[in-house]
Amino acid sequence: ETKLSDTYTPLAYVLPDVVPKEVVPAGSDSATRNNTRTAIELMRRRNVSLVVRDGSSDDAPQTIALEPTALLNKYMRPSTGWKMCKYQLGGYYSGRLHTCTTYQALGSLCVKVSKKADGSWALDSSFGGNGCTYESGWRPYSYTRVHAPSTGHFPNMSAYAARAFPSTTVRSAMDPLILASNLTKGKLIFAEYEAEEMATGMILCIIGCVAMLPAILLAYPIFLAYRAKKRRDAYFTRQVDDDEEPEP
């Protein structure tokens, strides 16, 4: 029998990447033109490769090609109003075109790999993709929103640098965290059904207490009147008994 502990080798490296502040030199251009040229350069799709070096062997590094992506993505979608575009999507609304333009910066890259029988490494597409998490749809890239200026220009590079912190994470396909993410659909809660039942029971108890409150408020004066009547009847009964008691 083969146990997981016999075959699993922890593999999770987090490597911070460098966010380029200026891809195009300032030169004699204005700041706005430099910002536009820089944004266009960041939106160009780039080839991404993962270089793997096995420390247990003297073989040459292995290069694994990933899906090309851009550091900054621009999306334009139909929109019926500027409020939703600006406040919910963080975009720029064009009243003439009735469109909402939004921007997203590359936030992180996370892939899972596995070792093949010949000793080489390859991307692992188990659970539907070579990404690391269920909530990302097992896609390797995740993006973060960059607010679009109200002028309709490209985002300022300072805003881009403040939101974009690209990092690279490589995980083993046998990482228990990946299996747990798939089994729990990204929630990482194994007793979810029991927790839901407990929460439902507590909610029903609270609703029951609230529903009984009007009845208690109505019954309490009746109870006070009944107790006062009982005391009054007991007092009169003692008075009658005292009056009818024969003298010695």
Side-chain angles (χ1 to χ4, degrees):
E1 182 180 0
T2 302
K3 297 181 180 179
L4 180 62
S5 58
D6 297 332
T7 59
Y8 169 65
T9 302
L11 179 62
Y13 304 110
V14 180
L15 305 176
D17 205 351
V18 178
V19 179
K21 294 183 178 180
E22 287 292 337
V23 177
V24 181
S28 58
D29 293 336
S30 65
T32 302
R33 178 167 296 184
N34 276 326
N35 187 83
T36 300
R37 295 173 61 189
T38 303
I40 293 175
E41 179 66 19
L42 292 174
M43 288 190 295
R44 184 171 57 87
R45 292 177 65 85
R46 303 169 184 273
N47 295 323
V48 182
S49 300
L50 176 65
V51 179
V52 181
R53 185 190 302 272
D54 196 336
S56 61
S57 65
D58 297 331
D59 297 337
Q62 180 185 349
T63 302
I64 302 176
L66 305 178
E67 179 184 355
T69 188
L71 296 176
L72 181 66
N73 293 287
K74 177 181 178 180
Y75 301 95
M76 184 179 294
R77 66 193 73 185
S79 180
T80 57
W82 67 271
K83 289 186 177 180
M84 177 179 294
C85 176
K86 180 178 180 180
Y87 295 110
Q88 295 188 13
L89 302 178
Y92 165 74
Y93 176 73
S94 173
R96 182 174 61 87
L97 301 176
H98 299 286
T99 58
C100 181
T101 302
T102 58
Y103 296 90
Q104 289 186 348
L106 179 64
S108 64
L109 163 64
C110 184
V111 294
K112 59 180 183 293
V113 297
S114 58
K115 207 169 189 178
K116 299 191 294 185
D118 60 359
S120 61
W121 292 93
L123 295 177
D124 188 274
S125 299
S126 57
F127 308 131
N130 49 37
C132 301
T133 59
Y134 176 90
E135 52 269 26
S136 67
W138 301 108
R139 290 184 293 270
Y141 300 109
S142 65
Y143 301 89
T144 181
R145 179 192 300 173
V146 179
H147 287 275
S150 58
T151 58
H153 296 156
F154 289 106
N156 189 276
M157 288 300 100
S158 59
Y160 166 80
R163 298 289 296 173
F165 295 93
S167 62
T168 302
T169 304
V170 182
R171 292 189 180 275
S172 169
M174 300 183 66
D175 193 326
L177 182 63
I178 292 178
L179 178 60
S181 178
N182 183 65
L183 291 176
T184 61
K185 297 183 179 180
K187 298 179 180 179
L188 299 179
I189 302 176
F190 288 94
E192 181 180 4
Y193 178 74
E194 290 77 3
E196 288 181 355
E197 283 190 331
M198 182 179 296
T200 302
M202 294 180 63
I203 292 173
L204 291 177
C205 288
I206 295 174
I207 293 175
C209 294
V210 173
M212 290 178 60
L213 187 60
I216 295 174
L217 295 177
L218 291 175
Y220 185 67
I222 299 175
F223 170 74
L224 293 179
Y226 173 77
R227 187 172 64 174
K229 182 177 180 302
K230 293 288 288 184
R231 290 179 177 178
R232 204 165 42 245
D233 293 344
Y235 173 77
F236 287 135
T237 302
R238 286 197 303 270
Q239 288 292 99
V240 171
D241 291 343
D242 294 341
D243 293 341
E244 293 180 353
E245 184 178 352
E247 294 182 0

